[in-house]
Every structure is written in C-alpha cells, then in structure tokens.
Amino acid sequence: MAPSVVDEVLVDGVEIDVSVTERAAVVRVVGDVAAVDVAGVRERLLAACALAPEPRVVVLDLTRVALLSAHGARVVTRFVGACARGQVRVCLVVAVDGIAHRVLRIAGVSERVPTFPSVAKAEEVIERSLAALSRP
C-alpha cells in the first residue's frame, strides 16, 4: 500500500498528517495532545474519516504522542464513536509502553478498538481481513 499524503497541518503545536493508501486513511498525530485546542484536533481527525477509501478504515497512529491528557483521550473516544456512526472502522496504533496506550486503556478505548504496535502491522491485518472477506 503506497500512501499518498493528503493533508499535513499543525494545530497548536500538534502535527496531524493524513495519508491515504488503497485500504485506509492513516492519521499520524505527533506532539502533546494535552493543553492544545482539542476542538481543532477533533476537527482534523473527523476530516480524515471522509478521506477513508472503501472499505472505510482509519488507522490512527498515536505512537509519537508524548503526552495525552484526559481531554485528548476524550477526543479519541469521540472520534472513534463518530467513525462508528459513519460506518468507518478505526484501528489504533500505540506504543505498548507509551502514555497514549496507558491513558486509552484507562479510558476503555483500547479494549473496544483494534490496537496495533505499528502502522505496518495494522495494514497487514487489514489486508488479511479484506482478503478473507473476498473469498467465496
């Protein structure tokens, strides 16, 4: 899956990059999602839902999030809910020993959403799942 970068934006010091592959929109968040304008972050995440190609999957990469506050976790929770209402599947990519993983586990998000240690692993599982679905 060769990604093409669709959008790169800086929201109050948080970098949000969106790239689109054949199977998913990949959203990479870099920085501290804490004391920032979380509404701006939420808007950028929701915009990525619209970019997700069929079968409508968004891979949210939080491996480079150094700090995730309760407000940031709420943004991720609401994003996952909004995607589900729009029939867009979400995969989380978090470092197993990272702060984002710990905060999202406490918030209960990582138990409801498939979580992977890397974007490559998430894409591999997406490919296998789609291949299995397309078999007669």
Side-chain angles (χ1 to χ4, degrees):
M1 287 191 260
S4 61
V5 175
V6 174
D7 192 23
E8 295 179 18
V9 69
L10 196 62
V11 178
D12 285 344
V14 176
E15 182 181 328
I16 302 171
D17 300 328
V18 180
S19 57
V20 178
T21 68
E22 291 178 22
R23 302 286 189 214
V26 179
V27 182
R28 287 184 175 83
V29 181
V30 180
D32 295 344
V33 184
V36 300
D37 173 15
V38 292
V41 172
R42 184 182 64 241
E43 288 173 21
R44 301 310 300 177
L45 293 179
L46 291 174
C49 284
L51 298 174
E54 291 298 330
R56 312 265 302 153
V57 178
V58 173
V59 176
L60 180 57
D61 181 358
L62 301 174
T63 56
R64 296 188 58 202
V65 169
L67 178 62
L68 183 68
S69 70
H71 289 359
R74 200 172 6 241
V75 166
V76 172
T77 301
R78 289 180 178 163
F79 168 70
V80 168
C83 285
R85 286 188 297 280
Q87 299 185 357
V88 176
R89 290 173 244 153
V90 177
C91 299
L92 293 176
V93 176
V94 293
V96 177
D97 58 348
I99 188 70
H101 183 258
R102 286 191 297 267
V103 171
L104 294 174
R105 189 181 66 233
I106 291 167
V109 176
S110 62
E111 277 75 39
R112 297 189 322 260
V113 178
T115 305
F116 301 94
S118 68
V119 171
K121 184 65 176 171
E123 289 177 335
E124 175 186 318
V125 171
I126 291 166
E127 283 295 321
R128 277 198 319 246
S129 298
L130 293 175
L133 289 173
S134 66
R135 288 188 201 131

